[in-house]
Amino acid sequence: MASSTIPMIGLILCSQRKPRVCPQIADYVFNILNNDSSQTGQKAARVKIRKIDLATWNLPMMDEPLNPSKITHFSQYLHQHTQNWSQEISKYSGFVLVTPQYNRGYPASIKNALDYLAHEWKGKPAMVVSYGGRGAGRKAAIQLKDVLLSLGMVPIETMPGLPIPSVSSDAMAKGSRGEDIGLSEHRDVWKEEEKEILKSFDDLVYLLSGRTSVVL
Ligand SMILES: Cc1cc2nc3c(=O)[nH]c(=O)nc-3n(C[C@H](O)[C@H](O)[C@H](O)COP(=O)(O)O)c2cc1C
């Protein structure tokens, strides 16, 4: 059993395509949460945010013989990749899910990563930041929220959506190819969405009060 006094928040990159725009959007969100000088920023200083890239984990399609809800210790998972994933997720007290929208839903990669585990997610707050075309991936966020509830997680009500076409007329095409969409030059393009990201994070940090990470 290990514990830490500073809560750790895992910022999950939910797309594992290669190439993809997800790392640029995740960096944008990560920088807002870490560099903000408002009250929320001070809260960010009291938590540690680490990125969890599903492309790096590259989990196979869920291949465990047992329903994860029956697992009480990570060693009961059959596969080493599941044991590693369990230990990774157990480190975090809450999550920021940065997700694209695929065909009006969330990508299979995040569903797969969620389905592998159960107790490791349970009771933990999670905020969802979606991105996409003009709809900003909101349909994906709404569906994902339902899955998080089913896992016993606490989804944050405010779910910011980032419309990539607002950055520039060719940002969607560039992002899909993994090319720089120019977020550093267009930092003001999502000013309203930035406020929502901070509000959502504020609520997430509030829910973390008194919570520390517990390893299964
Ligand atoms: C399989 C697939 C389905 C997509 N479906 C949608 C969609 O329903 N709505 C949307 O706004 N964009 C859609 N897009 C465009 C994505 O928003 C865009 O490709 C974005 O770059 C995907 O994020 P990623 O590059 O991080 O994977 C889709 C892209 C892919 C690859």
Side-chain angles (χ1 to χ4, degrees):
M1 181 90 53
S3 67
S4 92
T5 48
I6 299 181
M8 293 242 290
I9 309 240
L11 188 153
I12 303 181
L13 281 71
C14 297
S15 162
Q16 66 178 70
R17 286 189 325 122
K18 287 181 185 168
R20 62 200 163 134
V21 76
C22 197
Q24 293 177 61
I25 310 287
D27 281 352
Y28 170 83
V29 174
F30 183 83
N31 290 335
I32 288 172
L33 300 182
N34 275 304
N35 300 335
D36 181 61
S37 58
S38 67
Q39 198 191 356
T40 302
Q42 289 167 25
K43 284 187 178 168
R46 301 213 304 267
V47 298
K48 264 201 184 116
I49 307 173
R50 295 251 174 89
K51 288 184 222 160
I52 306 169
D53 190 348
L54 294 187
T56 307
W57 279 87
N58 201 20
L59 292 163
M61 285 307 283
M62 205 287 208
D63 55 359
E64 283 292 324
L66 290 178
N67 180 334
S69 67
K70 310 291 179 226
I71 298 287
T72 53
H73 190 267
F74 76 89
S75 61
Q76 294 163 352
Y77 290 117
L78 178 64
H79 299 293
Q80 188 63 49
H81 55 254
T82 319
Q83 295 191 7
N84 294 345
W85 183 233
S86 168
Q87 288 182 283
E88 173 70 5
I89 293 307
S90 293
K91 291 178 198 161
Y92 301 96
S93 304
F95 299 92
V96 179
L97 276 66
V98 178
T99 186
Q101 178 170 305
Y102 291 170
N103 300 312
R104 299 196 185 172
Y106 48 77
S109 42
I110 182 58
K111 183 67 162 60
N112 189 46
L114 289 165
D115 287 344
Y116 259 105
L117 311 176
H119 298 294
E120 298 86 339
W121 303 113
K122 200 169 180 175
K124 297 180 181 176
M127 66 181 260
V128 178
V129 181
S130 63
Y131 59 90
R134 286 280 164 215
R138 286 182 210 286
K139 289 191 165 76
I142 290 165
Q143 291 179 12
L144 194 48
K145 181 182 175 187
D146 209 27
V147 176
L148 301 179
L149 283 170
S150 159
L151 283 163
M153 298 181 80
V154 186
I156 305 298
E157 185 111 358
T158 306
M159 297 195 294
L162 306 173
I164 296 177
S166 303
V167 182
S168 70
S169 56
D170 59 354
M172 277 298 281
K174 280 186 167 176
S176 271
R177 295 193 296 262
E179 294 167 17
D180 184 4
I181 62 171
L183 279 174
S184 48
E185 304 98 79
H186 297 95
R187 267 209 62 89
D188 286 348
V189 77
W190 289 331
K191 271 292 159 209
E192 284 310 306
E193 290 82 354
E194 190 170 323
K195 283 183 209 155
E196 284 195 19
I197 289 170
L198 291 172
K199 158 87 176 80
S200 188
F201 189 67
D202 200 22
D203 293 346
L204 176 79
V205 172
Y206 176 77
L207 287 176
L208 289 179
S209 314
R211 175 188 276 281
T212 52
S213 57
V214 174
V215 178
L216 260 185

